[in-house]
Amino acid sequence: MMADTKTVLRLLKTARGQLDGIIKMVEDDRYCIDISQQLMATEAILNRTNKEILAAHLKHCVQEASSPEERSQKIDEFVQTLGRILK
């Protein structure tokens, strides 16, 4: 992975902490809207993490592909991933 490891790990650990908090909220039978808002915040962090990883993929993996065929394959993988994100 060519993304900044420190940034990715920080974001993932933040999301993990938020998930732990959400689990506690559910266990404590907290208000539905509060839980939903925390879920959306966690999704936003995960989306930001994915953006970091995909940007690094374009900047490094695609750009540094050793042949036009390999570059095309990496671009196709990116487009497929983007298609799943945009569903």
Side-chain angles (χ1 to χ4, degrees):
M1 180 179 75
M2 298 304 294
D4 180 44
T5 303
K6 285 183 181 182
T7 300
V8 170
L9 285 174
R10 180 181 50 78
L11 290 167
L12 288 173
K13 288 177 181 181
T14 300
R16 180 175 59 190
Q18 285 185 305
L19 278 173
D20 289 341
I22 293 166
I23 290 168
K24 177 134 178 54
M25 290 174 78
V26 170
E27 291 170 344
D28 294 345
D29 198 29
R30 295 275 302 273
Y31 187 55
C32 300
I33 297 300
D34 292 342
I35 294 169
S36 179
Q37 288 173 339
Q38 290 305 309
L39 284 167
M40 288 186 282
T42 304
E43 287 176 335
I45 288 176
L46 291 173
N47 287 335
R48 184 171 163 207
T49 307
N50 201 18
K51 181 181 171 186
E52 284 283 327
I53 291 169
L54 290 175
H57 177 72
L58 285 175
K59 291 176 183 175
H60 297 281
C61 300
V62 172
Q63 198 169 34
E64 295 176 6
S66 60
S67 69
E69 294 81 18
E70 183 183 3
R71 185 174 294 113
S72 179
Q73 176 198 7
K74 291 186 181 302
I75 290 170
D76 288 344
E77 291 171 345
F78 179 83
V79 169
Q80 288 173 357
T81 300
L82 192 58
R84 289 192 297 270
I85 291 169
L86 296 175
K87 269 187 171 180

